[in-house]
Every structure is written in C-alpha cells, then in structure tokens.
Amino acid sequence: MGVKHLWDILEPCKKTVPLHHLQNKKVCVDLSCWMVQLQNVNKSYAASKDKVYLRGLFHRLRALIALNCKVIFVSDGSIPAIKLTTYRQRLNGRKEVPQKENDNNSNNVPSLSQDDTNSQKVTSLRRNAGSEFSCMIKEAKVLGMALGVSCLNGIEEAEAQCALLNNELLCDGCFSSDSDIFLFGARTVYRDICLGDGGYAVCYEMADIESKLGFGRDSLIALSLLLGSDYYPGVHGLGPETACQIVKSIGDKLILQKFASEGLGWVKRRKGGKNNLERGDVVLQVINAYMKPKCHPAESDLVQRALAQYPFQQIKLQQICTEFFEWPSERTDGYILPSIAERDLRRFANLRLTSSEVGLNSPLHQIPVKCPVSEIIKTRKVQGKECYQVSWEEMDGLETSIVPADLLQSACPEKISEFEAKKGQPKKDKKQNIQKRRPKKNDTSELDLKLQNLLIDINFGDQHNHNASESESDSSRMTLVGVAPTTMLMAETNLNTTELLHQSHDIDHNYWSQNFSNISSSNKAFSSLDKNEVIDLLSPSPPPPKQSHISSKFQQSSDQVIDVINLSDSEYDISPEHNEKAKELRLFLASIRNDIH
C-alpha cells in the first residue's frame, strides 16, 4: 500500500513517458507489485489456470528486452517486525488485504499486540513459501531467468532494496506501485507500464516532487506519520490537505527533528481533537525503518551478481512456454526472437557510438564485432513510424523482422546506403524502358497531322484519277465499277493504321474513326440502293463538289435520280501520282512502327 493518499498528493508530478524512454536503461522491478497488477487483470479461475498473469509478464519483459532495457527482479524477504500488526489486521479483515501481502494466510501470522510490535524482541516474520502467491513469484523468477533477467531476493521490503539501488545510482529507476518507495530513497519511480498505443510508462521523479511541491524525503516520511502507512496508523481524522499544510509550515529540514523529539502530541493540541498519539521513541522507530531499512549493501556480492548480464536461454524458454502456456517452439520463437535481435542491434549501435566518441570511426567491415543485420529487404511503416524489414546474421529460428529506421541509422547506416542504391537502380531502368516505348507528346501531334494530310491526299486526290464503274446487263442489279481498287487501297491503309493504333496509346482513336466514317458511309449508301433502280452512266456527270469527291444525291421526288460522280472509264485505272502517295503512306507507317519498337 505505502502511504495513504500519497499518490494523490504527488499527482502534479505525474508524467507519462513513451516506452522508448526506457531504452538502454537499467531498472529494478518490485516483482510482487508487478504480479499483483497482472493478476488483477483477470481473477477468474480460468485465467489463473491458463496463467494469464505469467503471459502478461512475458510480454512486458520482451518489450523491455527489445529496448535493451536491463531488468532486475527484486522479491520481498521477511515481513519487518514494525509491520506485523498492520499485516495481521489486513489478513483478518480480507477487504484490506494489501496488494503485495496476500501470499500468506492468517494462520501463519502470530497474534501480536501493538506493544509486542513495538518491542525490540519481536523480529521479522518469514513469508509462507507454500502459498499460491509465493508459487506465482517462483514461476515469474523461472521465466525471467530463461529470458536473461536476474533476480535479487531482498532481506525484507523489496521496494526498500530497489530504492537503495536507485539511490546508489546502480539502476536508472524502479518499478513499484508502493508509494513508500520514495521514503526509502528512490529518485525515479515507474508506477505502471502499458504496452498498448505504442507503449508508455507512468513516471515520477523525486526532483519534480522537490521543485513543484517542496517535499523532500524527510517531508514524505512526516506525511506518512500524519496520514498513516504500513508502519504507522497515522492521526485519525487528518486529511491530506491539512497534513501538507502542517509539513510545509515547519519545513523539510526541521520536520523530522520535531517529530522525533516531541512525538505527535503537538499535532493533538493543534488539531484540538482526542488522539491516542505515540511517544517520540515510537515515532523514531518509524523514521529509522524508512531511513535505514534492512537491505543488501550496494557493494555486496549478491547485488553485484544481480547487476551482471545473463544470457538468453532459448531452449529453456521453449520448454517453459510449452509447460506453462502449451505453446509450440515456433510460437515462442516468433514472440521473443525479434526482441532479442533488436536488442542485439541496439547494443551494436551503442558500441559504434562509444567508438566514435573516442575517435574510432571504423567502417562497418572493419569493426571486430559483426553487424547483426545481414541486409535490408524493404521499408515498412508501423503505427506511423518509419521502419525497415531486415534479415539477420546467425539468428537461429529468425529470418526477418521489422526494426525502427532510426535504430538502423545509428547502428549501420552503410546498410541503408546499400539498400537505397539497390532500390534506386531498378526504378531508373524501368523508367527508361517506359520512355523508350512511348513516343513524346509533341511527336504524336506531328504524327497525327502528317497522317491526316496523307489520308486526305489519297482519299480526296485528283478528280481525274477516280475509279470507274460499269453496269451489268441485268437491269435489276447495279454494279459500281472502279470502287474496288480504291476500297482495297483504303482497306490496306485502314489495316496499317489499326496496327499502329494497337501499338501506341497516345494516338486519338476518335480521330481515326471520324476519318474512316466518310468512306464507310459512302459504301453503305451505294449498297443500300434499291435493286430496281438504274444508273445512267452515259449522261454527263455534274461538276464535283468542293468538299468531297464521293457523294450521293438522293432526291425524294416522283422521278428518283441517283447520280454517281467522278467515275473513270476503267476499273483498274490508277494514276502514278496516286500510287506514289499510297506508297509514301506505307513507308511512313512502317517507319513509325520501327520507331515505336
């Protein structure tokens, strides 16, 4: 629990930091607090049977491992003597069972009075190692060891041991939900951690508490005496606002001296109520419990071993996940190996940074430690963040995974340069090929104009070189002589032009349709004539129209007259000029096909 109302008092100093804030840091974890948090997510029997709390711990750890965050588990030792009465009361009144202390049952706790607790003869009490919660702690330690997480068993309070390591600068922060960790001397505390929404942690800094609230460590201990904590019940009826006013009125430097010398009797007189307040010696015991907790010294072998780096045990982890979660080895590897690979890449980046700081800027291939990344496969974007999908060197069970782009830039920018060079080359070649296949727009405009002129010249050539026609002896039928050669020529022209249209997407199809519609409509007009009508080919032809050399005139009158103009006397009589222009068109179309291909 910690100190009553202290988290509310510290609310102005609360800040949420992204999970990335923990990269390359070393943190201590009050293991009991984490396990209670994870257990509270789902307290059903099915959740306990499926070990949901342990799965949550696994995912927390792999997220921190990917950030190269060194984690040290710290577990509770014996229950301090000064805490026994509070502990017994909580176990008897199940509604007040503390978050961390529900691993024993009341039969294991002796019945102690307040006087017994205050006696120096009463020592700390060992915890029930066979309780359900203690078994959960053991499982967490086993899982942590397989992941390379060390564990330090505290003498008494785990949060006190975490605070000592943080105060001695042996770790960068502590994870704990017990607010009295500040009273033990912690400087940076992470109250909670969340892996959703990109991941974040709730952080409190002692420097912010001192500057924003004016409370130092002594003031926080004084607040615990006034409001109540695990070690002292507090002053009945005193709220957090009044307690803060009392502490600020005396000041951080003098507050504990006044409490130790006078006890809390002056608070009784100030408040005007009836309070059974303790003597100064009892208050002094509480102060000493916070200022001088029983912990492993920073220079002890146990602490130094806990601070050491331990390897990841892949086979052991597979066995544990199979036993606890019934996961196949492939699923376990799929979860943890990308995190291990990213951690190794961060360590490689730290090595290069340290080398550059001392003036050693060696190329990638000259670094004695091999780069864990083999090559970049492609760019990716994860939750709006630029990333790369990479393949790994010597990572058994993992071929590719995704890493942040900024991490790869700091670790091996040479790999990014290689990737960009490879990525740019195919795109450049592809663009060149497209440019070769497609003619320029200006060239297409000239092509349209030239083809238009040639077709007009051929279709509407010299009026003296048109096709001839002859009539059949049967008066019921009519044949137009001289149309066939022109039709063949235009069909050939149409064929070549159609070929061209299939090969170039930039030529206007509507234009060609309009050009050939005149000829098609003329042929249809001739074919749609009534079978009984006769064309007088001996009569003189009228002069040709100005805009068309082939025209049909249908007059709806009593004497229907159909004139066919400009027909030559011979079916195959084609002028040399006409042949020359047709040949010129064929050659021009052939040259265009060659240019396009």
Side-chain angles (χ1 to χ4, degrees), residues 381-398:
K381 184 168 286 189
V382 180
Q383 295 179 342
K385 187 176 181 180
E386 296 296 333
C387 300
Y388 288 107
Q389 183 175 353
V390 301
S391 59
W392 300 95
E393 294 276 6
E394 301 176 357
M395 180 62 67
D396 185 24
L398 179 66

Side-chain angles (χ1 to χ4, degrees), residues 374-534:
S374 175
E375 65 175 347
I376 301 175
I377 299 175
K378 61 182 177 180
T379 57
R380 299 288 295 271
K381 184 168 286 189
V382 180
Q383 295 179 342
K385 187 176 181 180
E386 296 296 333
C387 300
Y388 288 107
Q389 183 175 353
V390 301
S391 59
W392 300 95
E393 294 276 6
E394 301 176 357
M395 180 62 67
D396 185 24
L398 179 66
E399 294 182 359
T400 66
S401 66
I402 300 173
V403 297
D406 57 349
L407 170 59
L408 203 63
Q409 179 65 40
S410 61
C412 45
E414 297 88 346
K415 297 290 184 181
I416 298 179
S417 300
E418 293 176 5
F419 172 71
E420 293 295 339
K422 292 180 181 178
K423 184 179 68 172
Q425 188 64 32
K427 284 189 175 181
K428 185 177 180 182
D429 292 343
K430 185 177 180 181
K431 187 175 181 181
Q432 289 177 351
N433 291 337
I434 294 175
Q435 290 177 349
K436 288 181 180 179
R437 288 198 303 268
R438 294 185 179 179
K440 296 181 179 179
K441 291 185 177 180
N442 293 337
D443 295 343
T444 304
S445 301
E446 291 182 16
L447 170 65
D448 291 342
L449 183 59
K450 201 165 185 177
L451 287 174
Q452 179 183 358
N453 293 334
L454 284 174
L455 287 172
I456 291 175
D457 288 344
I458 293 174
N459 294 338
F460 310 112
D462 193 340
Q463 60 182 358
H464 299 291
N465 297 323
H466 292 294
N467 300 326
S469 64
E470 63 181 9
S471 104
E472 295 182 357
S473 58
D474 190 355
S475 61
S476 64
R477 301 186 57 88
M478 176 198 67
T479 303
L480 298 180
V481 180
V483 175
T486 305
T487 305
M488 291 173 59
L489 176 60
M490 296 312 300
E492 183 178 359
T493 305
N494 188 20
L495 178 61
N496 294 333
T497 308
T498 305
E499 252 180 81
L500 179 60
L501 290 176
H502 283 295
Q503 296 177 9
S504 174
H505 296 285
D506 296 326
I507 299 178
D508 190 352
H509 291 70
N510 293 329
Y511 168 74
W512 295 110
S513 301
Q514 294 172 2
N515 267 289
F516 293 116
S517 62
N518 293 332
I519 300 174
S520 300
S521 61
S522 298
N523 291 336
K524 289 179 181 179
F526 289 126
S527 61
S528 62
L529 294 176
D530 188 68
K531 294 182 180 180
N532 296 323
E533 292 183 275
V534 178

Side-chain angles (χ1 to χ4, degrees), residues 132-146:
E132 181 182 353
F133 190 77
S134 294
C135 292
M136 292 169 59
I137 295 294
K138 291 177 183 177
E139 292 172 345
K141 291 179 180 179
V142 171
L143 179 63
M145 289 176 62

Side-chain angles (χ1 to χ4, degrees), residues 339-350:
S339 298
I340 297 295
E342 185 173 337
R343 180 197 66 183
D344 293 344
L345 186 60
R346 292 186 188 277
R347 291 178 178 176
F348 186 79
N350 294 339

Side-chain angles (χ1 to χ4, degrees), residues 197-215:
D197 300 328
Y200 64 89
V202 179
C203 179
Y204 297 81
E205 296 277 359
M206 192 62 192
D208 295 335
I209 297 173
E210 294 168 346
S211 62
K212 294 182 179 180
L213 303 178
F215 293 147

